[in-house]
Amino acid sequence: MTELLYEIANWCSVRKYDNRSIPADVLRRILDAARRAPSWANVQPWHFVIVKDAAAKKDLQQLAAGQKFIEKADAIIVCCGDMAAWGEEERIKQMQQLSPILADEIGLPFDEDFIRKSLKDPAFNPALRGKEILLARLYEQLSLAIAFMILQAKHEGVGSCIIGAVANDATGMNPELYGEVRRHLNLPEDKLILTLVTLGYPAAGASLKTRPRKKFDEVVSREKYGTPF
């Protein structure tokens, strides 16, 4: 088993942390891994806020349905979806950056005329389908960045946990607290809190057992559904 697959196979959520502080250079590498994640159409609709202040972590704990372990993490990464990344001028800039890279590979011209026409096609511009579809696409994109983040954390010896039960635009939980946290973090209106990721060095005795996974043939088919690999 190669080293990367070994680290993936042994990844698990860590909810007990010791008191060590994660060095700035380690945090930077973890967040840089997230920044470098694949992004459909080069949109990169994400922004990450690192929170280490004790009072702010307490607020985030409450935002996440009061899960006690959250404020014990050395750092909490507030993972935001960037609605502004889907704006027309921003999309034109993103696709222009892709043009010299992908035009030959995917067989589309990616010239100025094609780029502007694509903004009227929901296959290239999910914003045309409304906020719900756009929010789904934000989660899709952000999940790739989070995956890179937690794998780099694992590589650095840092434990992590993805927090899905969060008061935000998707869940509709505790809108007053959500608004307060947004104001405290100075988030612009177009930056939506989607997920939190806790980071910290695993405490002695922390459960590091991998979670059960479905068997390979339950989730993989060859050519057609149900045909074993």
Side-chain angles (χ1 to χ4, degrees):
M1 185 180 291
T2 64
E3 182 180 352
L4 178 58
L5 185 54
Y6 177 82
E7 291 189 339
I8 291 172
N10 286 278
W11 187 90
C12 62
S13 296
V14 177
R15 296 182 177 86
K16 290 184 179 180
Y17 308 103
D18 65 21
N19 294 324
R20 284 179 291 168
S21 180
I22 303 170
D25 62 323
V26 174
L27 271 177
R28 175 175 284 276
R29 287 195 294 271
I30 291 171
L31 273 296
D32 197 39
R35 178 182 71 88
R36 294 176 181 275
S39 179
W40 173 81
N42 204 35
V43 178
Q44 305 169 74
W46 46 56
H47 191 92
F48 306 99
V49 181
I50 304 167
V51 174
K52 300 192 75 170
D53 175 76
K57 288 195 291 185
K58 182 68 174 177
D59 287 343
L60 291 174
Q61 177 198 11
Q62 295 306 311
L63 195 74
Q67 299 178 66
K68 293 182 179 180
F69 79 94
I70 291 175
E71 66 174 324
K72 303 299 183 182
D74 178 61
I76 301 173
I77 310 303
V78 182
C79 303
C80 300
D82 184 4
M83 298 283 280
W86 301 95
E88 181 173 321
E89 293 307 313
E90 188 65 22
R91 292 290 292 116
I92 290 172
K93 180 175 73 174
Q94 294 154 2
M95 296 180 78
Q96 286 173 335
Q97 290 173 337
L98 279 182
S99 178
I101 301 171
L102 294 182
D104 291 337
E105 294 181 12
I106 65 176
L108 295 173
F110 266 84
D111 56 22
E112 195 73 20
D113 183 58
F114 171 81
I115 289 173
R116 292 194 174 275
K117 285 181 178 178
S118 73
L119 296 177
K120 298 178 173 59
D121 183 347
F124 289 94
N125 186 8
L128 298 172
R129 297 293 307 280
K131 186 175 180 179
E132 288 188 2
I133 298 299
L134 190 56
L135 191 60
R137 208 76 204 240
L138 285 172
Y139 270 108
E140 171 205 65
Q141 294 290 285
L142 189 62
S143 67
L144 300 175
I146 291 173
F148 274 45
M149 182 193 305
I150 63 174
L151 287 175
Q152 182 65 30
K154 171 75 173 176
H155 186 69
E156 301 278 356
V158 175
S160 62
C161 186
I162 304 167
I163 312 299
V166 179
N168 59 14
D169 292 81
T171 64
M173 294 164 47
N174 205 337
E176 291 185 5
L177 178 60
Y178 178 54
E180 290 176 10
V181 170
R182 288 182 54 82
R183 286 190 290 274
H184 178 79
L185 296 175
N186 196 35
L187 291 179
E189 187 176 344
D190 52 23
K191 305 297 183 289
L192 309 181
I193 299 175
L194 300 186
T195 311
L196 308 178
V197 174
T198 57
L199 296 174
Y201 289 105
S207 175
L208 301 179
K209 296 179 181 178
T210 57
R211 302 302 188 260
R213 287 293 178 263
K214 294 179 180 180
K215 294 180 180 179
F216 186 87
D217 286 340
E218 288 186 68
V219 297
V220 178
S221 298
R222 183 188 292 274
E223 302 292 350
K224 295 182 180 180
Y225 182 85
T227 303
F229 182 82

